[in-house]
Amino acid sequence: NWDSSYIALITAYVMLDRIELAKEAAEKLLAIHPGACATGYERSLPIRNETFRDGIITCLKRAGIPD
C-alpha cells in the first residue's frame, strides 16, 4: 500500500509551499488509488492527534485530493 508514502510526500510538499509538486504527487496517488478521498483518509489515518490529522487532510485537499 503506497497511500501512506504519497500522503507523507503530499503533506511535505504543501508544507514547503511546493504546491505544483504536491499536485503531481496527488495525481499519482489518484492514478494508483482512483477512489482516494480526503474524507476516507480522515477516517482511516491512525493518528490520534486531531490537530495533526486535520493538518494532513488540509494538505491533501490543497493538493487536489477530492473530499
Side-chain angles (χ1 to χ4, degrees), residues 23-48:
K23 288 181 178 184
E24 289 175 20
E27 288 174 9
K28 290 178 183 177
L29 173 59
L30 292 170
I32 61 171
H33 187 186
C37 67
T39 305
Y41 289 124
E42 186 173 19
R43 281 186 251 130
S44 66
L45 285 176
I47 300 171
R48 292 179 189 223

Side-chain angles (χ1 to χ4, degrees), residues 16-27:
L16 292 169
D17 203 31
R18 305 291 303 267
I19 303 303
E20 287 306 314
L21 289 173
K23 288 181 178 184
E24 289 175 20
E27 288 174 9

Side-chain angles (χ1 to χ4, degrees), residues 1 3-5 7-8 38-54 56-57 60:
N1 182 335
D3 288 17
S4 59
S5 297
I7 290 169
T39 305
Y41 289 124
E42 186 173 19
R43 281 186 251 130
S44 66
L45 285 176
I47 300 171
R48 292 179 189 223
N49 183 312
E50 192 173 317
T51 303
F52 185 67
R53 186 179 59 242
D54 290 347
I56 292 171
I57 299 306
L60 294 176

